[in-house]
Amino acid sequence: MATKRRPLHQKLNFRPNTSDNNLEYRGTKPTCEPTSIKETMMLMVLYLCKKSLFFDTNLKVAIYLGTLFLLSLFADFASVPKMYLSRSDNIFNKFFVKFAWGWNLLLLVPFVVFTTYIYCCGQKQRIIKHHLLRICIATFFWWFWTTLFNVVEASFGRCNHRQFGTKGSCLQAGHVWNGFDVSGHTFILIYGSLLLIEETRCMENWDSIKEHLRLENHHRVSRDPSQNLNPLRNLSDPEMHDLQLNYKKYTPYIRGLFITITLFQIMWDVMLVCTMLYYHIMIEKFLGGALAILTWFFTYRMWYVHPKLFPKLPGQGVFKYIKKKGEPQAVPRRRTGSVVNGRGPLFMGRPIYPQQEAAQEESSAQ
């Protein structure tokens, strides 16, 4: 028996009901640009640098203290074979360790300026007060402790010839000044390493800024009415434009500085091991390292984390792009294209569970 043919003007079964007001149609988000081979290699190098620098800092501090005590104690009672790095005139000690703080400043100052200029959107007052001030504070502590070490050695030591009462006159006469010489090298190498690690924390999720820019530009151009969770949503159009230009302009320099900082931090650790093996006694090295760690802990774990004090931690700027560990992620808005008026999920405009839909319509009719 032939059935009645459906009229042609009836809505097709495989199309969703476009008259429903609950359906939202958005433009397709732009896809990322293809990654070149050069960019891929750079990302691999940056990944290795991050693995080296962002090693668990608490564990690294524990390793510093443990090796300072054990390795230095071993060197005091055992004869360590001499090598090129044991000489005080080796190239690394002569041109790098003796000017360690100058090298740190030479790398950190442009790195902090470039990075803060991006995530502070060029606000010079914020850059100086919130970030460059940290470099000034670190330099002050370096000067204070190294000066105090020299004062202690000069005040509580004596010359092997009693006729010379000051350290300067004793050394000029070619004699030996015996005093408690807190290891300034140990302090500088450990404090400098921790400083390099903390100041480069802003590189965590640095590449996510590019993704935020892409999505925020799309959201503003398409005027998507959906909820915007992008960290750049509160920036003005001129700030967005400047951010996009500065990020593209300065990121290559930032990456180069970051790689160089990683190499210097590794060199500081190598020279620290040489200092443990060949210079000073255990108590002098342990005290210098302990003061370096206490200074780092006071500044980066107590002072800078206080919400009402300046300066701030690296990465804290006009917008937030660094996700802390354990921080809940933003829950994406549920798609509404497959659910219409509570009828249940649809596939190509048709209900997946037609029996359930019929039961709901029957209960609503009753």
Side-chain angles (χ1 to χ4, degrees):
M1 181 177 179
T3 57
K4 186 178 179 180
R5 188 175 181 180
R6 295 181 181 180
L8 294 177
H9 65 272
Q10 185 177 352
K11 294 180 180 179
L12 298 178
N13 293 334
F14 57 83
R15 291 185 180 178
N17 187 4
T18 57
S19 62
D20 198 298
N21 294 328
N22 291 330
L23 283 175
E24 297 180 7
Y25 296 95
R26 309 181 186 93
T28 304
K29 293 181 179 180
T31 58
C32 299
E33 298 178 357
T35 305
S36 63
I37 298 178
K38 180 180 178 181
E39 180 71 9
T40 302
M41 297 299 295
M42 174 60 69
L43 292 177
M44 293 174 61
V45 174
L46 292 174
Y47 175 79
L48 295 176
C49 291
K50 291 179 182 179
K51 282 294 184 181
S52 174
L53 275 181
F54 301 150
F55 181 75
D56 188 354
T57 310
N58 295 328
L59 180 58
K60 189 159 193 171
V61 167
I63 294 174
Y64 278 152
L65 289 175
T67 53
L68 272 175
F69 180 80
L70 297 176
L71 196 60
S72 300
L73 190 64
F74 171 80
D76 286 348
F77 294 96
S79 178
V80 182
K82 300 295 183 179
M83 53 185 296
Y84 174 72
L85 293 179
S86 65
R87 295 167 45 184
S88 60
D89 61 343
N90 70 77
I91 187 172
F92 298 102
N93 187 63
K94 188 175 181 180
F95 294 102
F96 293 100
V97 177
K98 287 188 177 181
F99 307 99
W101 200 256
W103 284 108
N104 286 344
L105 293 181
L106 185 64
L107 295 172
L108 284 180
V109 170
F111 180 84
V112 173
V113 170
F114 288 153
T115 53
T116 54
Y117 194 77
I118 292 175
Y119 63 74
C120 290
C121 295
Q123 299 181 10
K124 296 181 180 180
Q125 185 175 2
R126 181 186 290 269
I127 293 173
I128 296 173
K129 190 194 310 186
H130 289 202
H131 301 286
L132 283 178
L133 183 59
R134 291 193 308 270
I135 308 300
C136 298
I137 293 172
T139 303
F140 166 78
F141 278 116
W142 161 77
W143 170 83
F144 173 79
W145 286 118
T146 52
T147 302
L148 184 62
F149 297 161
N150 293 329
V151 171
V152 170
E153 183 190 10
S155 301
F156 298 95
R158 62 180 181 178
C159 187
N160 57 353
H161 284 258
R162 295 184 178 180
Q163 59 182 354
F164 300 99
T166 62
K167 180 181 177 180
S169 60
C170 178
L171 296 178
Q172 288 179 359
H175 302 298
V176 178
W177 181 264
N178 297 312
F180 187 74
D181 183 16
V182 181
S183 178
H185 277 190
T186 303
F187 174 85
I188 292 174
L189 292 173
I190 292 181
Y191 187 54
S193 291
L194 294 175
L195 184 69
L196 294 178
I197 293 171
E198 293 294 343
E199 289 300 325
T200 52
R201 291 286 184 188
C202 61
M203 287 299 290
E204 294 182 359
N205 299 331
W206 184 259
D207 294 330
S208 67
I209 299 178
K210 182 179 180 180
E211 181 71 6
H212 294 322
L213 283 168
R214 182 176 64 84
L215 296 178
E216 180 62 20
N217 284 328
H218 167 74
H219 191 278
R220 297 190 181 193
V221 171
S222 63
R223 298 181 180 179
D224 192 345
S226 61
Q227 184 181 5
N228 186 9
L229 300 177
N230 196 304
L232 308 180
R233 62 187 179 275
N234 295 323
L235 298 184
S236 63
D237 290 339
E239 288 176 335
M240 277 288 297
H241 181 264
D242 292 341
L243 174 61
Q244 193 161 6
L245 290 179
N246 293 330
Y247 179 82
K248 184 177 181 180
K249 178 180 179 181
Y250 295 117
T251 293
Y253 302 105
I254 293 172
R255 288 177 172 180
L257 287 169
F258 182 71
I259 295 172
T260 308
I261 288 173
T262 304
L263 296 177
F264 268 81
Q265 198 280 319
I266 295 174
M267 182 170 60
W268 293 160
D269 282 349
V270 172
M271 297 309 298
L272 177 63
V273 174
C274 296
T275 302
M276 295 178 189
L277 291 174
Y278 300 110
Y279 302 99
H280 297 274
I281 60 176
M282 186 272 290
I283 187 62
E284 295 174 343
K285 289 176 282 191
F286 188 83
L287 183 58
L291 290 174
I293 292 172
L294 288 175
T295 305
W296 159 80
F297 185 83
F298 169 71
T299 52
Y300 285 92
R301 293 293 187 267
M302 297 178 62
W303 181 353
Y304 302 159
V305 298
H306 197 284
K308 297 183 179 179
L309 297 178
F310 296 109
K312 301 298 182 182
L313 287 173
Q316 295 185 3
V318 177
F319 57 90
K320 182 179 180 181
Y321 68 96
I322 299 178
K323 295 293 184 181
K324 296 181 180 179
K325 294 182 179 180
E327 183 178 0
Q329 300 290 332
V331 179
R333 191 172 186 268
R334 185 178 179 182
R335 293 180 59 186
T336 58
S338 60
V339 180
V340 181
N341 287 335
R343 292 167 54 191
L346 306 177
F347 178 73
M348 298 184 71
R350 296 298 296 168
I352 297 179
Y353 308 110
Q355 297 178 354
Q356 180 180 357
E357 180 189 12
Q360 291 176 355
E361 291 179 354
E362 183 179 354
S363 62
S364 61
Q366 293 177 356

